[in-house]
C-alpha cells in the first residue's frame, strides 16, 4: 500500500514538472524579442521622436513580437563608441550623424560635402532617390558590420563661438572649433583657417564654458538643446554643410532575425522618415526663435562672404577619391 502511495506521488510530481516545463517553453516562445537603439539626443528631440515612431511601427507590424527600446541622451555612450558596439552586435541599432559614420565608412563623405545640396528639397531628392538607396545598400555590402535603414533631417550646420562675430571665412582664423570625430570635418575647419578640435558631443558644453575651445558648429536645434547657445553667443548662418542623420542596424543582430522580420524593420525605419521630417521642421523653427529671443548675436553672411566660404572648400573637393567625385557629380545633377 505504502509503495503504491509513493508511486502515485512520484507520478503526480513528474506530471506537474512536465506541466511547469511546458508552460515555461510557451512563455519563452511568447516573450518578445527586445532590441536596443542608441540615440545621443534627449527624449523630445526630433531624431529621438523618429526613433520612437520606428519602434512603434515595428511593434505594430510584428504584433508585439519585436520591441525596440530607445536609449536616448547618450545612455549607451557617445556616437563613435556606440557605432563600435553596433559592429559587435552589443547594441542593435543607432541613429547617428553621417559624420561619425564616415570615420568607419569614408565613402559616406560623398553625402556630407560642404555646400553640396542646393536646399533641403534637393537633399531629400538625393536621399530618398536612387543615390540614397544605393548608399544604404552599399553599407551592407561593405561588410562594415552596419546595415543602413533610413535617413533623418538635420538641416544645415553653422559656426558658433564665444569670442567674436564671424562675418567672413577670414574671421575664423585661429579659432579653436570643436568638430565631430570625422576626418572630413577636421579638414573643413582647417581649410577655414580654424583649429579643429575633435571631441564627443557630450563634452562640448563644458569645453566651451571653460574656454578649452572657442566654438563649434551645428544646426539650430542642437545649438539650442545642448544649451551651447548660452555659452557661445555668436552664431553665423553660413550653412557650410547639410549632414543627414542615418539609422543603422547591426548586421550581427539582424542576422538573428527571420528574413520577414528584417524586411519589416527596414520598411518601418523608412516609413518613419516623414514623421521625423515634420518634427524636425517644427523644432528647427522653434529653436531658432528661442535663440533669437534670447538675444544671441546672429550673423547672416553676405552672398560674397558665403562664396568665400565655398571657395575655401575647393581643396576638399579636389582631394576626394574618384568614387566620391562621381557621386558628387551625380548629386549635383539631381534636379
Ligand atoms: C547633431 C547630430 C548628432 C551629433 C551632433 C554632434 O547635429 O544630430 O547626432 O552628431 O550633431 O555634433 O556631435
Amino acid at each position: 500500500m505504502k509503495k503504491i502511495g509513493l508511486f502515485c506521488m512520484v507520478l503526480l510530481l513528474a506530471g506537474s514538472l512536465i506541466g511547469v516545463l511546458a508552460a515555461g517553453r510557451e512563455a519563452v516562445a511568447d516573450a518578445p524579442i527586445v532590441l536596443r537603439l542608441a540615440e545621443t539626443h534627449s527624449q523630445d528631440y526630433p531624431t529621438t521622436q523618429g526613433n520612437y515612431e520606428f519602434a512603434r511601427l515595428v511593434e505594430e507590424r510584428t504584433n508585439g513580437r519585436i520591441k525596440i527600446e530607445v536609449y536616448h541622451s547618450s545612455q549607451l555612450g557617445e556616437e563613435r563608441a556606440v557605432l563600435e558596439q553596433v559592429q559587435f552586435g552589443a547594441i542593435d541599432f543607432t541613429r547617428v550623424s553621417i559624420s561619425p559614420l564616415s570615420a568607419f565608412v569614408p565613402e559616406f563623405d560623398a553625402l556630407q560635402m560642404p555646400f553640396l545640396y542646393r536646399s533641403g528639397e534637393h537633399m531629400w531628392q538625393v536621399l530618398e532617390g536612387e543615390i540614397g538607396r544605393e548608399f544604404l545598400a552599399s553599407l551592407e555590402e561593405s561588410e562594415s558590420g552596419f546595415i543602413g535603414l533610413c535617413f533623418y533631417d538635420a538641416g544645415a550646420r553653422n559656426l558658433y563661438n564665444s569670442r567674436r562675430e564671424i562675418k567672413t571665412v577670414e574671421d575664423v582664423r585661429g579659432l579653436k572649433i570643436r568638430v565631430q570625430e570625422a576626418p572630413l570635418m577636421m579638414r573643413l575647419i582647417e581649410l577655414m583657417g580654424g583649429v579643429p578640435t575633435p571631441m564627443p558631443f557630450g563634452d562640448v558644453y563644458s569645453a566651451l564654458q571653460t574656454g578649452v575651445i572657442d566654438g563649434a558648429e551645428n544646426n539650430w536645434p542642437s545649438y539650442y538643446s545642448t544649451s551651447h547657445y548660452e555659452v557661445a553667443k555668436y552664431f553665423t548662418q553660413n550653412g557650410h554643410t547639410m549632414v543627414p542623420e542615418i539609422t543603422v542596424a547591426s548586421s550581427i543582430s539582424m542576422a538573428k532575425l527571420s528574413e520577414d522580420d528584417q524586411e519589416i524593420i527596414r520598411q518601418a525605419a523608412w516609413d518613419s522618415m516623414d514623421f521625423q521630417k515634420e518634427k524636425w521642421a517644427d523644432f528647427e523653427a522653434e529653436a531658432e526663435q528661442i535663440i533669437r529671443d534670447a538675444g544671441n548675436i546672429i550673423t547672416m553672411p553676405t552672398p560674397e562672404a558665403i562664396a568665400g566660404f565655398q571657395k575655401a572648400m575647393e581643396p576638399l573637393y579636389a582631394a576626394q577619391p574618384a568614387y566620391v567625385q562621381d557621386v558628387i557629380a551625380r548629386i549635383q545633377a539631381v534636379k
Side-chain angles (χ1 to χ4, degrees):
M1 201 49 202
K2 248 190 189 167
K3 268 191 187 157
I4 292 175
L6 196 73
F7 181 68
C8 285
M9 227 160 84
V10 169
L11 261 186
L12 229 111
L13 272 175
S16 42
L17 193 70
I18 289 168
V20 167
L21 285 177
R25 254 209 314 274
E26 235 166 68
V28 169
D30 283 352
I33 301 171
V34 179
L35 302 170
R36 300 191 304 164
L37 185 151
E39 163 69 51
T40 198
H41 289 296
S42 58
Q43 193 161 18
D44 54 355
Y45 197 87
T47 51
T48 319
Q49 292 300 307
N51 302 331
Y52 281 122
E53 176 62 4
F54 164 47
R56 189 188 70 76
L57 291 173
V58 170
E59 192 167 344
E60 185 178 278
R61 293 174 187 179
T62 59
N63 296 317
R65 276 187 304 104
I66 301 183
K67 281 196 196 310
I68 297 177
E69 290 177 345
V70 176
Y71 290 82
H72 55 80
S73 312
S74 300
Q75 290 171 70
L76 300 183
E78 297 281 356
E79 290 186 333
R80 195 190 163 88
V82 162
L83 282 168
E84 278 165 9
Q85 296 211 59
V86 169
Q87 285 185 310
F88 298 136
I91 296 177
D92 307 299
F93 303 99
T94 187
R95 190 294 311 160
V96 290
S97 161
I98 275 183
S99 284
L101 182 71
S102 70
F104 295 79
V105 196
E107 290 77 17
F108 271 75
D109 279 349
L111 299 184
Q112 62 164 351
M113 292 296 290
F115 301 105
L116 173 63
Y117 304 108
R118 295 185 300 272
S119 63
E121 292 77 54
H122 178 215
M123 182 186 80
W124 280 111
Q125 287 293 332
V126 171
L127 298 178
E128 290 183 325
E130 200 180 76
I131 301 175
R133 288 171 199 262
E134 248 174 57
F135 267 81
L136 293 182
S138 74
L139 247 192
E140 205 159 339
E141 287 150 21
S142 71
E143 290 177 9
S144 56
F146 303 118
I147 292 184
L149 298 180
C150 69
F151 299 105
Y152 283 167
D153 209 338
R157 296 179 78 98
N158 307 279
L159 290 166
Y160 53 86
N161 80 99
S162 61
R163 303 275 177 232
R164 57 179 183 247
E165 197 179 352
I166 295 174
K167 291 183 179 165
T168 66
V169 68
E170 285 75 35
D171 297 330
V172 184
R173 186 148 303 281
L175 289 178
K176 274 185 112 179
I177 307 286
R178 175 269 174 176
V179 290
Q180 291 155 299
E181 295 170 283
L184 183 131
M185 296 309 286
M186 299 269 299
R187 189 73 185 121
L188 181 144
I189 293 299
E190 231 167 58
L191 288 170
M192 287 184 190
V195 183
T197 313
M199 69 174 69
F201 194 39
D203 296 349
V204 182
Y205 182 88
S206 68
L208 282 169
Q209 202 179 30
T210 54
V212 168
I213 51 172
D214 301 312
E217 47 80 56
N218 223 312
N219 48 42
W220 288 108
S222 282
Y223 180 50
Y224 166 61
S225 69
T226 51
S227 298
H228 294 172
Y229 78 105
E230 289 170 5
V231 284
K233 300 241 178 246
Y234 301 98
F235 186 90
T236 298
Q237 290 183 270
N238 66 325
H240 49 262
T241 47
M242 295 182 82
V243 181
E245 316 277 19
I246 186 168
T247 299
V248 295
S250 160
S251 15
I252 296 178
S253 307
M254 283 286 261
K256 293 180 189 155
L257 303 173
S258 70
E259 290 282 331
D260 285 353
D261 285 346
Q262 290 186 28
E263 191 42 40
I264 289 176
I265 286 173
R266 286 171 205 273
Q267 193 60 45
W270 189 266
D271 291 345
S272 71
M273 291 201 293
D274 281 346
F275 180 88
Q276 191 274 345
K277 281 195 247 173
E278 265 174 45
K279 296 276 169 203
W280 176 263
D282 291 349
F283 193 58
E284 194 180 37
E286 192 185 321
E288 174 174 353
Q289 195 54 53
I290 295 170
I291 292 158
R292 288 190 184 277
D293 291 350
N296 282 36
I297 295 129
I298 315 293
T299 308
M300 176 56 101
T302 62
E304 296 74 49
I306 294 287
F309 278 103
Q310 262 172 298
K311 181 134 189 52
M313 297 300 115
E314 279 171 6
L316 192 50
Y317 272 81
Q320 292 308 313
Y323 168 76
V324 173
Q325 304 262 11
D326 282 354
V327 181
I328 292 171
R330 284 175 63 203
I331 292 178
Q332 286 166 339
V334 171
K335 293 280 168 267

